[in-house]
Amino acid sequence: MSPRAAARPGGRSARVQQSVHTAVRELQAEHGRDDLTVPQIAARAGVTPSTVYRRWGSLSELLSDVAVERLRPETQPADHGNLREDLEHWAADFLEEMSSPPGRSYIRDALAGDADGSNAGQCSGYAVEQVTTILHRAAERGEDVPDTDTVMDHIVAPLMYRILFRPGLLDPRYARDLVTTVFYRLMPLP
């Protein structure tokens, strides 16, 4: 993503970003991703193609910016009353959402236009925020909790690997098994 697209601007710039993002989503829904062009997006958004190029640099960077926004969680993780259930439900939901055809497409787009790695970092940050919320709630209940990096490395990272490279091996049981691994191998013994 270009540095210009990274900022969440106000005023006219925010309206341009919103209209262009909306145009991308509408056109993807109508025609599919592979047929998108900058002139087509600009016309739908009511801006000039030069506005799109000036702000995003390329179609790939624009699609990456839209994908990062689409990958942002819309809600806080559910509270099921204990850490294990919270992580199991969150991991299964994460797997389902990210491994869906739209989820995979957003992941590919987010990474394809990410020359400097900022989009990957932003997407990782979304998962970190969700995991941190779960761990914080569990700690407030008095539960022993692993650190955020442990959950990211032993639950989120394997899920993303499977989503990207071994998609035939995905089901909620796999996500729950990863949570079990954290509990049995990484949690301190009482």
Side-chain angles (χ1 to χ4, degrees), residues 52-103:
V52 174
Y53 287 119
R54 191 170 42 254
R55 180 163 175 97
W56 286 278
S58 69
L59 177 61
S60 177
E61 288 180 82
L62 169 58
L63 294 176
S64 185
D65 191 44
V66 171
V68 168
E69 283 303 309
R70 299 294 290 180
L71 289 168
R72 180 189 307 269
E74 295 177 0
T75 62
Q76 291 293 313
D79 186 346
H80 297 277
N82 67 68
L83 177 59
R84 186 178 187 122
E85 284 190 49
D86 287 353
L87 284 175
E88 284 179 349
H89 284 278
W90 181 83
D93 291 347
F94 180 86
L95 177 62
E96 181 181 351
E97 185 174 332
M98 294 298 143
S99 66
S100 70

Side-chain angles (χ1 to χ4, degrees), residues 78-139:
D79 186 346
H80 297 277
N82 67 68
L83 177 59
R84 186 178 187 122
E85 284 190 49
D86 287 353
L87 284 175
E88 284 179 349
H89 284 278
W90 181 83
D93 291 347
F94 180 86
L95 177 62
E96 181 181 351
E97 185 174 332
M98 294 298 143
S99 66
S100 70
R104 286 175 202 244
S105 179
Y106 295 140
I107 292 167
R108 283 191 301 272
D109 283 345
L111 298 176
D114 190 25
D116 66 0
S118 62
N119 288 348
Q122 194 170 351
C123 292
S124 177
Y126 297 155
V128 166
E129 288 172 15
Q130 297 265 298
V131 167
T132 300
T133 296
I134 292 168
L135 297 178
H136 181 72
R137 282 194 309 233

